[in-house]
Amino acid sequence: MIPVPRYEQVKRHIMDAIEAGDYDAGDKLPSENELVRELSVSRMTVNRALRELTEEGHIVRRAGMGSFVADRRMRGHAADILSIRGELEARGEEWSATVLFQEEIALTKDVAVEMGRAAGDKVFYLLIVHKGDDMPIELEERWVNPEIAPELLAQDFTASTPTDYLLAVAPLLRAEHVVRAVAPTNKEQRLLEIEAGIPCLEISRRTWTGERVASYARLLYPGDRYELTARFSPVGAPATQ
């Protein structure tokens, strides 16, 4: 039997404690010194274990404060990420989806930049039309890091959405949104069943698990069927629910 490296043993020790419920999301973990004494390993071994757990998104390390259990859902404004299914159901519409592509592809240069990877790297690719009461409402084009969601290609995305799946399997810790008005291509007009000249709202979204980009998505909505809302509080004032 091949011996398990000591840093892997430290990682397993920490993950066992988290999975057993000894620590909840946001709880502080034992310090490096405490782990060194408890497990009789070197500081270098503990540091590597904590670094890899951070990169994998299981913990968050804060300078001068220590290591904390990561929340499996995004916080702050990133927590407002909802799947299109949830949005449609909230307004009384029945969600359905048509999956056009669900495969492994090589990254183009432009998307590679967004994902922090090299052009030609293999990632998972999805192209899905989401509908509300059989009316196209969102065209989702998504690239996913296979290391984050290795079983993604085996999922049935006519039964659940990629957003719901990724939030369930990956500890998504932060997100970035870019919103713009765009003119859809002829192909996008056909897929969204809109007439020429109707503008679309485009949301480009990147999400991170640990230090790695988990997915990059381009979400396209017909301008006459969708609106984006946000709630703000005055600077310094508490947000109201």
Side-chain angles (χ1 to χ4, degrees), residues 154-188:
Q155 305 309 307
D156 179 5
F157 290 120
T158 65
S160 65
T161 69
T163 295
D164 286 331
Y165 177 70
L166 289 171
L167 286 173
V169 304
L172 305 179
L173 301 178
R174 60 190 176 100
E176 173 189 86
H177 292 175
V178 178
V179 182
R180 60 173 67 89
V182 299
T185 65
N186 290 337
K187 177 183 178 180
E188 291 165 346

Side-chain angles (χ1 to χ4, degrees), residues 7-72:
Y7 74 89
E8 288 287 358
Q9 295 177 34
V10 176
K11 288 174 63 178
R12 188 68 262 165
H13 173 81
I14 295 171
M15 288 305 301
D16 284 346
I18 293 173
E19 291 167 3
D22 296 341
Y23 300 97
D24 293 325
D27 285 352
K28 186 175 182 179
L29 294 167
S31 68
E32 287 191 16
N33 287 336
E34 290 170 328
L35 289 169
V36 167
R37 290 194 299 269
E38 178 184 355
L39 303 176
S40 299
V41 294
S42 69
R43 178 180 292 275
M44 183 180 299
T45 297
V46 170
N47 187 271
R48 177 170 179 177
L50 294 176
R51 184 176 70 250
E52 291 196 4
L53 287 172
T54 301
E55 292 172 351
E56 293 166 8
H58 299 296
I59 70 174
V60 177
R61 303 178 77 183
R62 302 189 179 112
M65 299 178 64
S67 300
F68 300 81
V69 180
D71 195 335
R72 290 194 65 82

Side-chain angles (χ1 to χ4, degrees), residues 81-240:
I81 290 181
L82 300 174
S83 72
I84 188 65
R85 179 177 185 171
E87 292 187 62
L88 290 169
E89 290 178 348
R91 67 188 203 186
E93 297 183 28
E94 182 178 357
W95 167 83
S96 62
T98 300
V99 179
L100 303 174
F101 288 98
Q102 185 171 346
E103 58 192 36
E104 184 179 64
I105 66 168
L107 280 174
T108 62
K109 183 177 180 180
D110 290 345
V111 179
V113 170
E114 298 289 350
M115 297 195 71
R117 300 175 69 101
D121 281 0
K122 295 297 183 65
V123 298
F124 295 152
Y125 174 74
L126 302 171
L127 183 64
I128 302 174
V129 177
H130 298 275
K131 299 180 180 180
D133 291 342
D134 290 326
M135 177 72 72
I137 194 69
E138 177 189 272
L139 178 61
E140 174 179 7
E141 190 173 21
R142 186 183 293 270
W143 297 260
V144 179
N145 184 338
E147 299 168 1
I148 301 298
E151 302 299 320
L152 182 120
L153 296 185
Q155 305 309 307
D156 179 5
F157 290 120
T158 65
S160 65
T161 69
T163 295
D164 286 331
Y165 177 70
L166 289 171
L167 286 173
V169 304
L172 305 179
L173 301 178
R174 60 190 176 100
E176 173 189 86
H177 292 175
V178 178
V179 182
R180 60 173 67 89
V182 299
T185 65
N186 290 337
K187 177 183 178 180
E188 291 165 346
Q189 289 174 18
R190 291 195 301 272
L191 293 176
L192 289 170
E193 299 178 17
I194 57 178
E195 298 179 359
I198 293 180
C200 286
L201 177 69
E202 177 190 87
I203 299 177
S204 297
R205 176 187 295 162
R206 289 193 294 172
T207 57
W208 280 262
T209 291
E211 299 302 314
R212 297 174 294 178
V213 174
S215 76
Y216 169 64
R218 179 176 177 266
L219 310 173
L220 198 66
Y221 307 87
D224 60 348
R225 298 179 199 159
Y226 188 86
E227 64 180 21
L228 182 68
T229 62
R231 179 178 297 173
F232 299 92
S233 297
V235 175
T240 58

